[in-house]
Every structure is written in C-alpha cells, then in structure tokens.
Amino acid sequence: MLDLLKLPYRHITWFLHHKKVVPLVFLAPFLIVFLVFKVYPVILAIIMSFQNFQGIKSQDWVGLTNYENVFELVRFSQALTNTTVYTIGTLLVLIPLPLVLAVLLDSGRIIASTVFRVLIFLPALTSLVVAGTVFRLILAKDGFLNLFLEGALGMDRLRWLEVSELALPSLILIATWRWTGMNILYFNSGLVNIPSELYESAAIDGASPWQMFLRITLPMLRPTTFFVVVLSIIGGYQVFVEPFILYSGGAGPGDGGLTLALLIYRTAFTSFNFGTAAAMGVILALIIFIFSLIQFRFFGVLGGED
C-alpha cells in the first residue's frame, strides 16, 4: 500500500526535477500574466477594431469601416503629425545631448561626476503629475522661463501654453528635462564596456579627443544608440501623460498638443467609440513596428551587416 502511495509522489518529484520542466515552472507566473494582460488585450483590440463597438451596444462586424473612418478624421491627421514632429524633436535632443553629457561625465574631467549623474537622473523618478503641474507654472506667461528669457536675452514673453505653435516645443522641453538623465545612464553603461586600451593606443598614435570620439566612441556605442533610439521612438509615439497633465486633460490650444495616444483616449472614453479607438491603436502599433524595423535595418541588427 505504501509503495502505491509513493508512486505518484515519485512521478511528481521526477516531473519537478526534470531539466525541461523546471524552467517552465519558474516562467509560468510571468507567462500567465503576459498572456492575460498583454497578449489577450492586443488580440481583443484587433478584433474590436473590426466591430461597431460603441458603449454597451451590441458588437456588429463592420470590416474595415473603422479604419476608413480613422483616415477620414482631420483630427487623426493632426494628431499623427503632432506625434511624429514630437518624436523627431525628442530624437534630435535626447540622443546627442545625453551622449555628449555621458562622454563628459565618463572622461574624468568633471568634478563630483557622481553627484551630477544623480541630479540629472532625479527627474526620471519624479511623478509626471507633479512635473506637469510645476511646468504649468514655469511655462506660464509670468513664469520662470519667460522671466529668464526676458532678463537674460531680452526676448518678449512667450505664451507657451496659449499658442498652438508652442505646444510641441513645450512638450519636448518636458521630455528633455525628464529623460536626459535616463539616456545618460544608458550611454554610460555602453561607455563602460569600451576597452580603455583603444583610447590609449589612439592617444599614442596622436589622435585628438574629437577623432577618438568619432572613430572609437560612436562605433562602439552603436548597440546602445540603437537601443536608445528604439525606446525614444516608442516613447515618442506613445506620449500621453505629458500633454494630458500640461493642458488639464489634453485640451491644448488649437489641438497643437494633440497626440495619437490622447486622441485614442478621447475617442474611447469621451465619445465611447471603442471600435474606432481600437483601429487607431492598431495603426499606432503598426507605425511603431515599422519604425522599429527600419532602425533594426539601419543599425545592422537585421540583414547580416557587420
């Protein structure tokens, strides 16, 4: 009788100690959460994008009608243009600026470089709600930024939060303040992996710091740069909280700060047109996917480039 009771126990013990089973046991919690909260919502959103899903009404299959409606919306074109310009603007600032600062901090020429790293990284830990509220005060007509520009440069006071043309520069300014420290951290991790012997050999050969930066630092930071660029593109096209907080619900002047994520939110939870919102979400995911593939090809991750 005891042998019969031990038989299932032996099978369970063998099962849990099997080399192919044990990793799956440890991965099971992550896989379950990933499938339930990531994969399932994506599949549901794709299905919803082909349905007339409005509020609690019945879901009727409408084919590509939602996608046709999306491309006919003037606000969608405006939101896509704003989001693209915002993403390009953040790339032009949040790639070269953190890279140069990371190189300077890693050069050993900055006193108390660790303190600077901590101070620059702190904005990434700040709540966006608090940051948005503070920037509303900074960018006000009588705010700190206008007072500084007027006193130091003699410029007229700008209406940062009142003119549609200044909406995107305001958002890019917030992104620069928030993510510069994070990107510096990424570039610093890449700089640590560059052998110092390369710089020593280049210095012996008479290379200048600028030549070493172009011929050694930039090529060796290629994987890190690729990682930062992809993250910046994804973050740029998914921007939502910054305009939502800065303009009190995203109601910016003349839709100057309207982004795709904000338009999806309004379409779903203000107009309750979930089918059209889901179609916008699928289009946004495709845009991010295409740009990511372009970056993979450009940096040689695909195609077998050296």
Side-chain angles (χ1 to χ4, degrees):
M1 184 66 179
L2 291 176
D3 293 336
L4 292 176
L5 292 175
K6 289 180 179 180
L7 187 59
Y9 176 76
R10 291 175 182 174
H11 283 289
I12 294 174
T13 303
W14 174 86
F15 181 79
L16 293 177
H17 286 81
H18 196 275
K19 292 182 179 179
K20 294 183 179 180
V21 175
V22 173
L24 295 178
V25 173
F26 283 99
L27 287 174
F30 165 77
L31 292 175
I32 293 173
V33 172
F34 179 75
L35 291 174
V36 173
F37 294 100
K38 290 290 185 179
V39 177
Y40 174 71
V42 170
I43 296 174
L44 186 63
I46 294 174
I47 296 174
M48 192 184 299
S49 68
F50 296 100
Q51 295 177 334
N52 182 18
F53 197 114
Q54 295 185 355
I56 58 175
K57 295 181 180 179
S58 59
Q59 296 86 45
D60 301 321
W61 192 266
V62 295
L64 297 176
T65 302
N66 287 327
Y67 291 92
E68 294 173 358
N69 294 335
V70 167
F71 287 108
E72 290 175 359
L73 290 175
V74 176
R75 301 191 77 188
F76 177 78
S77 302
Q78 180 68 35
L80 179 59
T81 302
N82 290 344
T83 308
T84 302
V85 173
Y86 171 83
T87 303
I88 294 173
T90 54
L91 286 174
L92 293 176
V93 176
L94 290 176
I95 301 300
L97 178 62
L99 175 59
V100 172
L101 292 176
V103 172
L104 289 176
L105 291 173
D106 192 67
S107 65
R109 300 177 181 178
I110 305 297
I111 301 175
S113 60
T114 303
V115 177
F116 279 101
R117 286 189 178 95
V118 173
L119 292 177
I120 295 175
F121 183 75
L122 281 179
L125 304 177
T126 305
S127 169
L128 267 178
V129 177
V130 176
T133 304
V134 172
F135 268 92
R136 287 177 64 185
L137 299 175
I138 294 175
L139 297 175
K141 190 173 181 179
D142 296 326
F144 171 77
L145 182 58
N146 276 332
L147 293 177
F148 171 77
L149 294 176
E150 184 180 31
L153 303 178
M155 294 177 57
D156 295 332
R157 297 187 181 185
L158 301 175
R159 297 183 296 168
W160 294 95
L161 304 178
E162 302 173 17
V163 182
S164 60
E165 290 78 9
L166 295 177
L168 291 179
S170 300
L171 295 176
I172 293 173
L173 182 64
I174 296 176
T176 302
W177 171 82
R178 181 169 175 80
W179 298 116
T180 297
M182 180 65 74
N183 288 353
I184 287 175
L185 184 65
Y186 291 142
F187 283 119
N188 267 328
S189 64
L191 290 170
V192 171
N193 295 321
I194 300 178
S196 59
E197 293 81 3
L198 295 177
Y199 294 105
E200 295 172 359
S201 300
I204 293 174
D205 293 335
S208 64
W210 177 247
Q211 290 174 327
M212 287 188 284
F213 176 76
L214 292 179
R215 301 296 179 85
I216 298 176
T217 305
L218 286 183
M220 296 296 290
L221 283 178
R222 192 176 182 182
T224 306
T225 305
F226 162 74
F227 175 75
V228 175
V229 168
V230 171
L231 282 186
S232 298
I233 290 176
I234 294 174
Y237 272 96
Q238 291 182 337
V239 62
F240 170 79
V241 180
E242 288 87 342
F244 187 83
I245 298 298
L246 188 63
Y247 294 107
S248 300
D255 287 337
L258 182 66
T259 63
L260 281 176
L262 191 57
L263 181 61
I264 292 172
Y265 169 81
R266 288 184 179 180
T267 305
F269 299 105
T270 302
S271 303
F272 297 103
N273 195 341
F274 295 103
T276 303
M280 290 181 187
V282 173
I283 294 171
L284 177 59
L286 288 175
I287 292 173
I288 294 174
F289 178 72
I290 291 171
F291 275 109
S292 298
L293 281 182
I294 293 173
Q295 293 304 314
F296 270 86
R297 188 68 180 89
F298 179 78
F299 283 92
V301 179
L302 296 178
E305 294 183 10
D306 295 331

